[in-house]
Amino acid sequence: SQKIEQNSEALNIQEGKTATLTCNYTNYSPAYLQWYRQDPGRGPVFLLLIRENEKEKRKERLKVTFDTTLKQSLFHITASQPADSATYLCALEPHSGGYQKVTFGTGTKLQVIP
Amino acid sequence: DAGVIQSPRHEVTEMGQEVTLRCKPISGHDYLFWYRQTMMRGLELLIYFNNNVPIDDSGMPEDRFSAKMPNASFSTLKIQPSEPRDSAVYFCASRGLSSTDTQYFGPGTRLTVL
């Protein structure tokens, strides 16, 4: 069955360091992979989308890599700040054909320590 | 735009009662999604609509759950009768037509069934 795995344990990192979060998937051929941020008591907020034929995508201090051979995406936050503390979700969308079903991972909680 | 609007934000009810959750998507968005989030199972897609028509309801857990979208600006998710295991945060999200458009989530409804 399709499975998306994110590190369920919280990631604690010192302010200023680079945080790296991992998303692994099995039995899935995604067309797109997305990363979302979720703060307590709020809905997820979209951060970045990367296509299957893209290796890397950047946005300000964020960088996402996508390796379809390893079936893995890495999400990096450089120069991390306490305000980056949140839960980060990866989400996979299959090849379309009018089909818009996105599957989310369970998320990894990031804590940036001042 | 005010974003995706959900009501109520919190709902506490007793087992066996009917619960109705409401959602107003972002104007102009063609897709509407209902998700449920729990600690154990993460964010699960329940059902999604395209142009007010239900496309995939395979995530709806049981016949006790039903969803409607009578027009482009309103959707409901109903649980009847409710059970304690239905306790979760329910999110509504909407997105535009393009496959690379992102989903915009509402603030969620926290449901507690006693």
Side-chain angles (χ1 to χ4, degrees), chain A residues 22-34:
Chain A
T22 304
C23 176
N24 295 299
Y25 59 92
T26 55
N27 298 324
Y28 211 110
S29 294
Y32 309 106
L33 188 147
Q34 303 174 33

Side-chain angles (χ1 to χ4, degrees), chain A residues 32 34 36 38 41-46 49 51 89 93 96 98-106, chain B residues 9 31 33 35 37 40-43 45 48 55-56 58 91 95 97 99-100 102-103 105-107:
Chain A
Y32 309 106
Q34 303 174 33
Y36 286 76
Q38 187 173 22
R42 294 177 176 268
V45 175
F46 170 79
L49 177 148
R51 294 175 173 79
L89 307 170
E93 182 169 351
S96 62
Y99 196 57
Q100 305 288 338
K101 189 170 182 176
V102 173
T103 303
F104 283 82
T106 54
Chain B
R9 293 294 313 275
Y31 290 90
F33 307 82
Y35 290 89
Q37 187 174 41
M40 290 298 295
R41 300 173 68 90
L43 196 61
L45 177 66
Y48 78 91
I55 302 300
D56 188 336
S58 59
F91 288 103
R95 78 183 245 186
L97 181 61
S99 58
T100 56
T102 63
Q103 294 188 35
F105 282 79

